[in-house]
Amino acid sequence: APPAASAAAPIGGDAAPVTGTSAAEASAAPAVAAVAAPAGESAPAVSAPPAASAVAPIGGAAAPVEGAPIGGAVAPIGSAPVAAEASLPSTASAAAPPTGKLSSKAAAHSHSSKARPLRDIPPLGSCKADVEKHCATVAPGDGKVARCLRKVIKASDAAAGKAGAETEVGAVSLPCRRDVRAFFLSLARAGIRADSPDLVVAEPVTGFREACQADIQGRCASVPPQEVMLCLKDHKQILQEECRHKVTEIQKHEAADLALDHRAHDACLGDLARLPACNVTTRPGAMAGCLRAHPRNLTMACRKELFRREKESAGNLNLQPGVLRACAHEIKTACAEESMDEGRMLKCLWEKATTRSVEDFGEACRTKVTKLMNRTVHDYRLNHGVRSQCTSDIANLCAEEDAALNGTGGGPTFHEAGKVLNCLKAKYQQIASLACQRSVQAVAQVHSLHWTSNPVLVKACREDVNEHCRGTKPERVHLCLRKRLSRLSEDCRKAEIEHGKLESSDVTLKPLVRRACVAAIRTYCKSVTPGDAQMLQCLQDKMGDSDFPATCRREIEDDMEASAHDWRLKFGIHESCKDEVDRLCRDQVHEPGKVVGCLKANFDGLKVDSCKHQVTRIVSQIAENIKLAPIMYGKCINDIENVCRDVKTGGGAVHQCLLDNRHQISTDCAQAEFNFQAMKARDIRMSRPVLQVCGTSIQKLCRGVAPGDHKQWRCLEDHRSDYQMDPDCRRLVNQEIKLQHAEFHLNLRLAKHCSHEATKHCFKVLEDANFKDFTSDGKVITCLARNVKNITNAACHAEVLRKVEQRVEMPHLDPVVQKECADDAELFCREHKKSSPHQLTDCLKAHFDQLSPSCKTQQKIYMVAASSDIRVNSKLRGVCGEAREKHCKAVKPGTGRVVECLLAHMHDDDLDSSCREELVKEQQKRAKSIEYNPMMAESCRAEVDSLVKQSVCQPEGKGTGWMLLCLSKHVKQVKSMTCRASVFSLRRRYSADLRAVPGAERACAGDIAALCDDVTPGAGRLHQCLRLHEKSIQNPECRAKVLQVQAVDKYHAHTNFRVQQRCVNEMRAFCQDIQAGGSRMMACLGAHRKAAGFSEECVKSLATTAVGTGELRVPEMPTIRGELKRLLEDNRGTLERWGGILLTGTIGFVSVLAFALAYYIISRRYFGYNGMNKDLEYADER
């Protein structure tokens, strides 16, 4: 059955009263009339229009003229104002055809403007005086003046406390109001042209064009102009943030004035003609509200469009002008901190409306909010939470109901509209999504007790109450006494602890909590059996939920703070840890607050799992609220007052504040906070704020990882760049990583495995770290990183590499880097400081040459590390994993060997493009300094010093790669064979890619753009192009570098990329035994280039070398014919003297040899058989 009482006025606006119905009757009409009359009943008919009405101002409605129709004709811009009601035709007479029906084409035609829409309000029209008064400084054009006037009108009406007036009052004249509205109606009709660079004739809201151009052209390019705005609204959740805001602004205006939504207005023109009561509005949103109030009288087209508008506005209170107007005061006073969208503001208002008194919460607002909330629970499509969070659950559990509902189009009946929500409620336990469960759950109220009801307590604590709790409400005296437990008399303390022990066992014994948490128990813990503190622990465990009732949370927090002063006031830990306390903490049993600290200090020695679980719960609660650790809170209370005064308790905010100010707080507080952070780092379950935010990410990314021993923390650290990780979770994980890098002892596994190595290599800085007061600034970790080659413990070596990898990815994790680069980050990367740490790192790298010397030095440490060991270069390791497996599997990591191997294969055709992109960046970095070439830096430093000492090379500016160029140019003078091998490898990179040559990419940028713009860099292509256009190269430095590499390529086959690539088979076949050096390989290839099997590709590659140009002399290879000819030439005199005799002897020898051969063949053929038989017979006889 429909609700007993609710007004027929639509949600989001005020419906004009139906003729013959008083305002009181309208407000008391059944809510069914606002949606659809039940089957078999008819909606109330609407007859004559009201006697007097006014047009609402811009901000959503028409100019305030008596009887002016919203859907009717609009006076031309610049024309004289309409003076009388009779001069303005009503919508019924102007728009409706004689039959009473209006086709969609006719509707569109009646509202289409034949004139081109203007770009702004005409300066000399009816708005001239208003423009001069309010918008004189606004440059006309692009709708700027119109938007200025609209803003003035809206502000004027708000100040006047009305949305329109029946007389010419306010800041803007009535004719001008009419023209302003007409202007924006014309813009709406003109639409948005995706194929035009301007998109719109004039911007409907400031910045629309710039904010939405990419989305329009990317998502709505093929949509007709009049449908583009609808397309944007359909894709609103995936639009860019700025565009989404602009679309919302436009929706606000459409919500206030139905005519601005031309599609809905056109669909409802005939309905407006039949419902004259809805044809005039006095307030924003009233026209659409009136139509929705009479759904049975509407055409299906109109109902569909109105329902579409409702779906678009669902969850965003800014699109409900009626509610906004009625609840303006309550929004400011009761829900000021809530967001308007995602249903948050509505939820807050609804909660306040059901709990506040009439004096605190206006009845008008209460009515509006109740109606809107009722509407959202009638149809899940109008409920933001259910619609956004329950898609998969509806498909799995309620598909039949959903199909039936969506089959009704835009006008489901009252009963049909609620079927899906009813289905979800009926199958609540089967809902898979926790977020969906929260959306379907209900929320409620709770709590209290009078201390004088316990005579034992009255007797023991009367004086203590008078001393410590005078003026406290009777129901809160217990909490007051427990919070001051250490100051109570012995008898009172015993009595309060005894009572508290009993009270802690069951939530029903805590009336304040029970009263405040009735709804929370029903929602979150309805399956939990009361007793043994299970219900209370359930509430404590769920209190961090975003939808958890605030009053319940406050009571639970207050109760937890009071119970934290003695372990016996906590049922769970008292029952689970009795034996452990007796074993480990016997001497501290009667000292308030110290037993829990003892259990935390001996956590690794606890044998009972249930006790460990309870200690973990307590630590997780302290992580949210420092007051739950009374001893720690006592040490830090002055520091909290000094540096965290404005920080609210809860959510770990105070802990974070103390960490952010750790260098300013007292030593006692710093050590207490340090020990707590070290404890919390053991298990992510000990950090409830993190667990709440990262729960989904853990399920997705770390499902099989067991908690404890920092394992889940490590898993999240390893997946912090995964797209599946929640952004808020990533932020918290990065915070934790940053904290760990600041202190050696906050790294559980590092401190465990590297204690001996730290003592061995970093003794001095380890002494500072052992104070555990946040003063070591990560120096132990930095020391271990610099000595990683000397670490012999395998587990420690792995942990240190892990830390180096993280610092390579984000150098700001090193406190020294953060300190030295603070000014540079502010100067160059201010906009990235509060964004992703990776963005800040990339920004500083982009400005590396401009950084201060101290910052550059610190940054270079980790840039060198990234080039030295692929194990710490996570990005390169990730994208080049397949290439490494294929080409460099046998290469041992360290000293840049694996990266060097990958660079050697970066131009292979089968290399992954993302891997090649990273290698190009690595190559560009290596071209700047020998320091980024670890193998060369290690083997060639002495050679460079020697060349400089001999004045062969002169040092140039840092970052120019002068050492690399020096070694390449004077390699013949390099004595170290290891260094020479590194230089030859470098020369091969120079030959393969011009970008690898120090300074070449910068020097040749202009010439490449002019001469080789269509050439893809790499694989020697740029070299080939620039060599072909060598005479056209404009930059002398570029020409010199191109010729320098060409000179080497001409004579050295082993460093010539194209020869190496195209002649590899020829080198193996013809020159396998040729020793490299002295251009011998090039000469060998040149000597065999005409041999059979020599490929045409190799011949072509040799054409541009010294072999092809003739600059290198190539020896001719001997042939049989040539050798015989040479022999005859060399022995011509001997032949002339003895030739006849030699010829006669040769002929005779050949004749005898021929006779002998013929005799042998004939005898074998004709006489061989008999002879063989005789031999056989002789053998038998023997």
Side-chain angles (χ1 to χ4, degrees):
S6 62
I11 301 305
D14 297 314
V18 178
T19 303
T21 304
S22 66
E25 291 170 334
S27 64
V32 178
V35 184
E41 298 180 18
S42 59
V46 181
S47 55
S53 58
V55 178
I58 297 303
V65 180
E66 285 193 327
I70 294 297
V74 178
I77 295 176
S79 64
V82 180
E85 177 182 344
S87 65
L88 288 175
S90 69
T91 302
S93 60
T99 58
K101 297 181 180 180
L102 188 68
S103 68
S104 59
K105 291 184 179 180
H109 178 72
S110 66
H111 284 268
S112 62
S113 176
K114 296 182 180 179
R116 180 180 176 84
L118 298 179
R119 293 184 59 82
D120 211 335
I121 294 292
L124 301 178
S126 57
C127 289
K128 178 180 178 182
D130 297 287
V131 171
E132 291 175 352
K133 181 178 180 182
H134 302 290
C135 306
T137 61
V138 178
D142 202 21
K144 294 178 182 178
V145 174
R147 293 195 298 273
C148 173
L149 290 172
R150 180 171 63 182
K151 185 176 180 181
V152 172
I153 292 170
K154 185 175 180 180
S156 172
D157 291 341
K162 56 181 72 176
E166 297 183 1
T167 58
E168 190 164 328
V169 296
V172 179
S173 64
L174 297 181
C176 182
R177 289 173 179 246
R178 184 184 303 110
D179 279 4
V180 171
R181 179 173 185 268
F183 173 77
F184 284 106
L185 290 178
S186 70
L187 285 188
R189 291 284 170 185
I192 302 170
R193 298 189 62 87
D195 57 349
S196 169
D198 290 336
L199 298 180
V200 289
V201 176
E203 288 193 316
V205 293
T206 304
F208 172 78
R209 190 180 289 113
E210 179 181 358
C212 292
Q213 185 171 18
D215 286 302
I216 290 172
Q217 294 177 348
R219 305 183 190 283
C220 308
S222 61
V223 178
Q226 285 72 25
E227 302 294 328
V228 171
M229 180 52 64
L230 184 62
C231 171
L232 289 175
K233 289 187 281 189
D234 288 342
H235 295 86
K236 187 175 178 181
Q237 295 303 317
I238 57 176
L239 297 180
Q240 298 181 41
E241 185 176 1
E242 284 300 316
C243 183
R244 189 163 59 248
H245 290 329
K246 299 304 175 185
V247 171
T248 300
E249 286 186 47
I250 294 173
Q251 285 183 289
K252 290 180 185 178
H253 298 302
E254 291 181 353
D257 189 349
L258 180 66
L260 291 175
D261 187 343
H262 65 87
R263 176 168 167 172
H265 189 252
D266 290 350
C268 296
L269 274 177
D271 303 89
L272 288 169
R274 290 191 303 274
L275 300 171
C278 300
N279 199 33
V280 180
T281 180
T282 57
R283 295 184 181 88
M287 181 189 293
C290 177
L291 290 172
R292 285 198 298 269
H294 304 90
R296 303 290 289 185
N297 299 82
L298 304 180
T299 60
M300 182 59 69
C302 182
R303 292 173 67 184
K304 285 184 177 180
E305 288 304 312
L306 292 176
F307 190 72
R308 170 184 63 80
R309 285 167 57 88
E310 282 192 276
K311 287 196 296 182
E312 292 170 355
S313 64
N316 193 331
L317 211 64
N318 276 321
L319 306 183
Q320 303 289 346
V323 179
L324 283 178
R325 184 174 60 255
C327 298
H329 172 72
E330 287 77 8
I331 290 174
K332 292 180 180 179
T333 58
C335 301
E337 297 181 358
E338 292 294 336
S339 170
M340 284 289 189
D341 57 4
E342 296 182 359
R344 295 178 182 177
M345 180 60 72
L346 177 60
K347 178 178 179 295
C348 175
L349 290 173
W350 184 78
E351 288 177 347
K352 304 299 183 183
T354 57
T355 57
R356 288 190 167 206
S357 64
V358 176
E359 291 75 19
D360 293 327
F361 206 95
E363 191 60 35
C365 178
R366 192 191 310 276
T367 302
K368 289 286 186 183
V369 167
T370 302
K371 290 178 183 176
L372 183 56
M373 182 61 77
N374 287 342
R375 182 64 174 149
T376 61
V377 298
H378 287 166
D379 194 320
Y380 87 95
R381 295 173 294 180
L382 303 181
N383 187 303
H384 178 273
V386 175
R387 190 176 69 187
S388 61
Q389 304 294 344
C390 298
T391 305
S392 60
D393 290 294
I394 291 174
N396 294 333
L397 303 175
C398 308
E400 183 178 346
E401 291 83 355
D402 188 37
L405 175 61
N406 286 304
T408 61
T413 65
F414 173 77
H415 299 96
E416 291 171 335
K419 285 185 176 180
V420 174
L421 282 175
N422 287 337
C423 171
L424 286 173
K425 292 176 183 178
K427 300 178 180 180
Y428 175 81
Q429 295 298 336
Q430 302 175 42
I431 295 176
S433 166
L434 181 59
C436 180
Q437 285 185 331
R438 293 170 183 166
S439 298
V440 179
Q441 290 167 352
V443 185
Q445 44 188 339
V446 209
H447 321 265
S448 146
L449 177 70
H450 202 290
W451 72 283
T452 56
S453 61
N454 187 334
V456 174
L457 196 71
V458 171
K459 180 180 179 181
C461 296
R462 186 183 300 276
E463 294 182 2
D464 295 276
V465 171
N466 290 333
E467 181 179 355
H468 301 295
C469 305
R470 185 184 297 273
T472 303
K473 293 182 178 180
E475 63 270 21
R476 296 194 171 275
V477 168
H478 283 299
L479 296 176
C480 173
L481 292 173
R482 291 171 198 168
K483 290 179 181 179
R484 295 158 179 81
L485 205 61
S486 61
R487 289 180 274 173
L488 299 182
S489 63
E490 185 69 21
D491 290 342
C492 182
R493 182 164 61 249
K494 288 182 178 180
E496 186 60 43
I497 288 175
E498 287 301 319
H499 175 77
K501 283 169 58 179
L502 177 62
E503 190 179 274
S504 68
S505 65
D506 197 327
V507 72
T508 59
L509 301 178
K510 293 180 178 286
L512 292 177
V513 175
R514 183 182 181 185
R515 185 192 308 166
C517 297
V518 170
I521 291 171
R522 185 186 309 120
T523 304
Y524 298 100
C525 308
K526 62 181 180 181
S527 60
V528 177
T529 304
D532 292 340
Q534 293 185 61
M535 186 69 74
L536 186 61
Q537 289 187 12
C538 173
L539 290 172
Q540 292 172 353
D541 292 341
K542 301 293 184 181
M543 62 184 284
D545 190 279
S546 59
D547 293 332
F548 199 85
T551 53
C552 179
R553 183 185 293 110
R554 285 195 295 270
E555 289 297 336
I556 293 174
E557 288 176 347
D558 208 14
D559 180 73
M560 290 170 68
E561 289 175 18
S563 301
H565 288 264
D566 195 282
W567 72 292
R568 290 165 290 188
L569 298 176
K570 296 178 175 294
F571 179 86
I573 197 169
H574 181 256
E575 294 301 314
S576 300
C577 298
K578 285 181 180 179
D579 294 338
E580 299 288 10
V581 170
D582 187 59
R583 182 171 65 89
L584 301 170
C585 312
R586 184 180 301 177
D587 57 338
Q588 301 179 45
V589 170
H590 299 293
E591 297 185 36
K594 290 193 175 182
V595 170
V596 173
C598 172
L599 291 172
K600 290 190 292 184
N602 292 279
F603 185 80
D604 290 335
L606 298 179
K607 299 178 180 179
V608 181
D609 289 340
S610 60
C611 180
K612 270 193 170 183
H613 172 70
Q614 291 298 328
V615 174
T616 298
R617 288 188 72 255
I618 290 177
V619 175
S620 71
Q621 293 167 357
I622 296 172
E624 288 193 292
N625 187 352
I626 192 174
K627 292 181 179 180
L628 301 185
I631 296 177
M632 177 183 177
Y633 183 65
K635 293 180 179 180
C636 293
I637 190 168
N638 292 331
D639 298 285
I640 293 172
E641 182 65 23
N642 291 333
V643 298
C644 307
R645 179 180 300 177
D646 298 328
V647 178
K648 294 182 179 179
T649 303
V654 175
H655 285 295
Q656 190 60 48
C657 175
L658 291 173
L659 288 173
D660 293 341
N661 297 277
R662 57 185 178 271
H663 298 302
Q664 303 174 36
I665 59 180
S666 64
T667 301
D668 287 345
C669 180
Q671 290 178 337
E673 183 64 36
F674 188 102
N675 290 329
F676 173 73
Q677 293 297 330
M679 181 70 189
K680 183 168 66 73
R682 295 171 180 271
D683 192 333
I684 199 169
R685 295 173 299 180
M686 292 184 177
S687 181
R688 182 177 291 180
V690 175
L691 193 61
Q692 289 170 347
V693 174
C694 295
T696 303
S697 299
I698 292 173
Q699 287 295 317
K700 291 180 180 178
L701 306 171
C702 309
R703 183 183 296 272
V705 179
D709 195 27
H710 200 71
K711 292 179 181 178
Q712 286 186 339
W713 271 119
R714 289 171 68 87
C715 176
L716 291 176
E717 290 174 9
D718 293 340
H719 290 88
R720 64 188 182 279
S721 298
D722 197 299
Y723 74 95
Q724 296 185 77
M725 179 171 283
D726 182 84
D728 290 333
C729 179
R730 183 180 295 111
R731 175 180 56 81
L732 293 176
V733 171
N734 285 332
Q735 283 181 0
E736 186 69 17
I737 294 175
K738 184 177 179 181
L739 179 62
Q740 291 174 9
H741 276 267
E743 291 293 338
F744 173 70
H745 288 292
L746 291 182
N747 296 268
L748 184 66
R749 296 171 69 90
L750 186 68
K752 177 181 178 181
H753 296 302
C754 293
S755 177
H756 175 71
E757 298 287 354
T759 303
K760 180 179 177 182
H761 300 292
C762 314
F763 180 74
K764 290 185 178 180
V765 290
L766 181 61
E767 284 186 322
D768 294 334
N770 287 338
F771 283 105
K772 300 182 180 181
D773 58 358
F774 298 113
T775 57
S776 72
D777 284 336
K779 293 177 183 176
V780 176
I781 299 175
T782 302
C783 173
L784 289 171
R786 291 177 178 175
N787 289 277
V788 65
K789 292 182 180 179
N790 304 319
I791 294 175
T792 57
N793 183 293
C796 177
H797 189 270
E799 290 299 322
V800 174
L801 281 181
R802 180 182 178 84
K803 292 301 175 186
V804 177
E805 177 188 353
Q806 292 172 349
R807 288 189 177 185
V808 165
E809 187 176 351
M810 296 182 290
H812 262 61
L813 292 176
D814 185 342
V816 177
V817 174
Q818 187 176 3
K819 179 181 178 181
E820 295 296 338
C821 295
D823 294 339
D824 298 271
E826 179 68 21
L827 179 61
F828 301 112
C829 311
R830 180 182 298 178
E831 67 276 13
H832 299 297
K833 289 179 66 177
K834 295 183 179 180
S835 57
S836 166
H838 296 86
Q839 293 180 0
L840 177 60
T841 300
D842 294 340
C843 174
L844 289 173
K845 285 182 180 179
H847 293 86
F848 181 79
D849 294 335
Q850 302 165 271
L851 299 180
S852 63
S854 59
C855 177
K856 191 178 295 185
T857 300
Q858 296 300 323
Q859 292 284 338
K860 187 178 289 185
I861 292 172
Y862 298 106
M863 293 172 68
V864 171
S867 297
S868 301
D869 196 332
I870 196 168
R871 291 173 295 184
V872 302
N873 192 332
S874 59
K875 195 166 187 179
L876 188 61
R877 188 179 70 245
V879 296
C880 293
E882 184 178 345
R884 181 186 178 188
E885 180 70 17
K886 182 176 181 180
H887 301 295
C888 312
K889 187 175 182 179
V891 179
K892 185 179 179 180
T895 325
R897 288 184 289 267
V898 175
V899 181
E900 193 82 25
C901 172
L902 291 171
L903 286 170
H905 292 276
M906 70 177 289
H907 301 291
D908 290 2
D909 293 335
D910 61 347
L911 192 71
D912 181 76
S913 59
S914 57
C915 177
R916 183 179 290 113
E917 288 177 8
E918 285 304 313
L919 289 173
V920 168
K921 295 177 184 178
E922 177 65 24
Q923 179 178 261
Q924 290 171 333
K925 181 176 72 172
R926 289 184 173 226
K928 294 181 179 180
S929 173
I930 194 174
E931 294 175 279
Y932 304 128
N933 296 265
M935 294 179 67
M936 185 176 289
E938 186 176 275
S939 60
C940 297
R941 180 69 71 177
E943 299 289 345
V944 173
D945 293 340
S946 176
L947 292 173
V948 172
K949 189 174 182 179
Q950 299 172 34
S951 300
V952 176
C953 299
Q954 295 297 325
E956 299 178 18
K958 293 183 178 180
T960 59
W962 68 271
M963 292 186 187
L964 302 174
L965 294 172
C966 170
L967 289 168
S968 177
K969 185 176 181 179
H970 303 285
V971 67
K972 292 182 180 180
Q973 296 175 250
V974 174
K975 298 177 182 179
S976 167
M977 297 306 295
T978 308
C979 178
R980 295 189 75 175
S982 296
V983 175
F984 285 133
S985 176
L986 181 67
R987 278 183 163 187
R988 280 193 288 272
R989 292 211 302 271
Y990 288 177
S991 176
D993 197 336
L994 180 69
R995 296 170 295 180
V997 181
E1001 188 172 13
R1002 172 189 53 78
C1004 295
D1007 292 296
I1008 291 173
L1011 305 174
C1012 310
D1013 187 48
D1014 58 342
V1015 176
T1016 302
R1021 288 183 286 267
L1022 282 179
H1023 277 301
Q1024 187 179 17
C1025 174
L1026 290 173
R1027 291 171 188 175
L1028 289 174
H1029 299 86
E1030 184 260 324
K1031 294 183 179 180
S1032 301
I1033 296 176
Q1034 299 297 314
N1035 190 310
E1037 184 183 356
C1038 176
R1039 183 184 292 108
K1041 291 184 181 295
V1042 171
L1043 294 177
Q1044 184 180 3
V1045 177
Q1046 184 180 18
V1048 176
D1049 282 356
K1050 277 187 175 183
Y1051 292 94
H1052 300 284
H1054 283 290
T1055 59
N1056 186 314
F1057 174 78
R1058 298 181 73 83
V1059 171
Q1060 281 281 312
Q1061 187 182 47
R1062 299 182 180 184
C1063 298
V1064 61
N1065 293 326
E1066 286 76 8
M1067 288 181 182
R1068 294 172 183 168
F1070 299 103
C1071 309
Q1072 186 174 5
D1073 298 328
I1074 299 298
Q1075 184 179 359
S1079 300
R1080 286 185 287 270
M1081 180 62 73
M1082 190 70 79
C1084 175
L1085 290 172
H1088 291 87
R1089 66 186 185 276
K1090 295 181 181 180
F1094 207 92
S1095 70
E1096 188 66 25
E1097 288 295 318
C1098 184
V1099 172
K1100 289 181 180 179
S1101 68
L1102 293 173
T1104 57
T1105 66
V1107 170
T1109 61
E1111 298 173 71
L1112 180 65
R1113 184 178 178 277
V1114 179
E1116 187 176 353
M1117 294 302 296
T1119 63
I1120 295 176
R1121 181 178 179 182
E1123 288 297 307
L1124 287 174
K1125 183 178 180 180
R1126 185 178 63 78
L1127 181 63
L1128 291 173
E1129 290 292 335
D1130 292 343
N1131 297 280
R1132 180 180 296 276
T1134 302
L1135 290 173
E1136 289 176 352
R1137 181 176 180 182
W1138 304 98
I1141 298 174
L1142 289 173
L1143 180 61
T1144 303
T1146 301
I1147 293 172
F1149 174 76
V1150 171
S1151 299
V1152 173
L1153 182 61
F1155 173 78
L1157 288 172
Y1159 175 79
Y1160 174 75
I1161 293 171
I1162 292 170
S1163 63
R1164 290 286 293 174
R1165 182 172 184 179
Y1166 293 102
F1167 306 108
Y1169 179 77
N1170 293 331
M1172 183 176 65
N1173 288 339
K1174 289 180 179 180
D1175 291 337
L1176 292 174
E1177 291 172 0
Y1178 175 73
D1180 291 338
E1181 291 174 0
R1182 298 278 291 177

